[in-house]
Amino acid sequence: MFRSVASRTSSAALSRGLTVKPLATATAFGRSSVQQRCPLLASSSSSSSSSSSRALAPQLWSAESVRRSSISVTFVKAADGSERTVPAEVGQSLLEVAFANKLDIEGACGGECACSTCHILLLEDDLEKFAEPDDDEADMLDLAPNVTDTSRLGCQLRLTKENNGMRITIPEGIVNLMAS
């Protein structure tokens, strides 16, 4: 499929008088020039490549460095008291965790701190594990219903290992208009 698309593109370009240079060219080691310039492609190349050719490309990442630490957090709906403990990754925002686990939080702005539909409540101890809200978040919280001293926007809170086991309350009055 790649060759047919490339040849059609080359033919069309040539008919217009354009010069076409191939993106990937064979090298003495059997790898393409794209793989030489992109270590990610070189590391995922087929096992038929010689080990000496793979050694030429520096490894910028490894599976170990990409793997995130897993933690768990519990979401509680204030309306009915139902709880759901879900897996989360260090570095995710609470809104991303909610989306990944199909929890009933809207996040209408997609996590850009431009609405208050991901308003959540934290326990006092958990609140202290996060930085103070910035001015943008404070302005958005002013628009949220049922705000308390422990109110935050889920899109603005990134998880760390010390957040493992934390409890997040979805306050009453939060309506997910995007749920079907």
Side-chain angles (χ1 to χ4, degrees):
M1 181 174 159
F2 175 76
R3 291 175 193 225
S4 63
V5 171
S7 63
R8 282 195 306 255
T9 303
S10 297
S11 299
L14 290 173
S15 68
R16 293 186 183 129
L18 301 173
T19 304
V20 178
K21 293 183 180 179
L23 177 62
T25 57
T27 66
F29 295 102
R31 293 183 337 188
S32 73
S33 59
V34 171
Q35 288 174 323
Q36 286 180 335
R37 289 191 304 266
C38 183
L40 298 178
L41 290 176
S43 67
S44 65
S45 63
S46 67
S47 59
S48 64
S49 298
S50 69
S51 60
S52 62
S53 67
R54 273 184 261 136
L56 293 176
Q59 291 294 318
L60 299 179
W61 63 275
S62 67
E64 292 299 315
S65 66
V66 172
R67 186 178 305 144
R68 291 181 172 180
S69 299
S70 290
I71 61 173
S72 65
V73 295
T74 302
F75 285 85
V76 180
K77 282 188 175 182
D80 61 8
S82 63
E83 296 184 11
R84 184 162 166 211
T85 301
V86 297
E89 300 292 328
V90 169
Q92 280 185 306
S93 72
L94 286 172
L95 180 62
E96 291 168 341
V97 173
F99 282 167
N101 292 284
K102 298 180 177 29
L103 295 169
D104 200 21
I105 294 180
E106 185 171 345
C109 69
E112 298 295 323
C113 196
C115 71
S116 61
T117 58
C118 65
H119 172 220
I120 57 170
L121 305 175
L122 300 175
L123 297 175
E124 193 71 41
D125 293 340
D126 291 328
L127 185 66
E128 295 170 3
K129 296 176 184 174
F130 295 101
E132 292 289 320
D134 63 13
D135 290 341
D136 290 336
E137 182 180 0
D139 290 344
M140 289 297 111
L141 282 170
D142 287 341
L143 304 174
N146 304 319
V147 174
T148 69
D149 290 341
T150 62
S151 290
R152 293 297 301 267
L153 295 181
C155 66
Q156 298 301 298
L157 302 176
R158 296 264 168 211
L159 295 171
T160 64
K161 286 184 179 183
E162 70 179 30
N163 299 126
N164 189 29
M166 74 183 295
R167 296 174 60 82
I168 300 109
T169 302
I170 302 171
E172 290 188 65
I174 298 297
V175 179
N176 184 349
L177 300 175
M178 313 250 322
S180 48

